[in-house]
Amino acid sequence: MKKRLPPGQTETKKWPILDLGLQPDIALKDWSLEVAGLVEKPVVWNWDDFQALEQVEIISDIHCVTTWSRYDNIWRGVAAGTILKAVNPLPKANFIVFHSHDGYTTNVPLNRFKDDDVLLAHTWQGEPIGREHGGPVRVVIPKLYFWKSAKWVRKITFNDIDVPGYWEVRGYHNDADPWREERYG
Ligand SMILES: Nc1nc2c(c(=O)[nH]1)N[C@H]1C(S)=C(S)[C@@H](COP(=O)(O)O)O[C@H]1N2
Ligand SMILES: [Mo]
């Protein structure tokens, strides 16, 4: 059986807060999500549009590169698969960049976004995700270190080339697999 705690990690029961020192305050009436780039049907969803999409609940563990892990987070939101079905990426779209309201960006291969545990979450343990943790909506990609899970996400772009994000150009590993300890470099 696969161990639950990746190498070099320590379990924590609390949920630490990490950001660039800026926590954008986005009212639901002002919230939108744009999905653009190499897709057949680009979209901009407002809050009601987003809530009208199929909603799922997914339980997953968080692994942060700063060595904390937090088990059994109950997320609710829209699965990556639902978004992919709506926009239909073009065959040459192999990479994704998430863009956030604080200026943060992070990149993943499309194949990582396709995992069935990936979602855009608005709820954690039955409560709306707080502003400090990236609400109204944040990305959750459980199989990668948590810096790949963009808080306050406002836009997703599909690209043919891989465009490194905020931490990726500052020495973090491009791939971020906690089981391979892809932390830096
Ligand atoms: N928009 C945005 N998303 C972000 C960050 C950030 O600074 N801005 N930090 C990343 C990092 S390094 C981590 S560990 C997690 C922290 O999420 P949390 O504060 O909810 O624990 O968010 C990731 N997503
Ligand atoms: Mo992190």
Side-chain angles (χ1 to χ4, degrees), residues 15-22 62-66 68 100-105 132-134 138 146-153 167 172:
W15 186 5
I17 297 166
L18 290 105
D19 54 54
L20 305 175
L22 198 98
I62 297 171
H63 306 298
C64 176
V65 71
T66 60
W68 58 270
S100 298
H101 283 282
D102 59 345
Y104 187 82
T105 57
E132 69 282 11
H133 286 296
R138 75 172 301 153
F146 209 34
W147 87 76
K148 295 287 189 182
S149 293
K151 300 159 75 165
W152 311 288
V153 65
W167 284 123
Y172 282 34

Side-chain angles (χ1 to χ4, degrees), residues 151-166:
K151 300 159 75 165
W152 311 288
V153 65
R154 62 174 181 86
K155 184 177 181 182
I156 305 175
T157 50
F158 287 72
N159 304 316
D160 50 355
I161 54 159
D162 195 12
V163 183
Y166 183 91

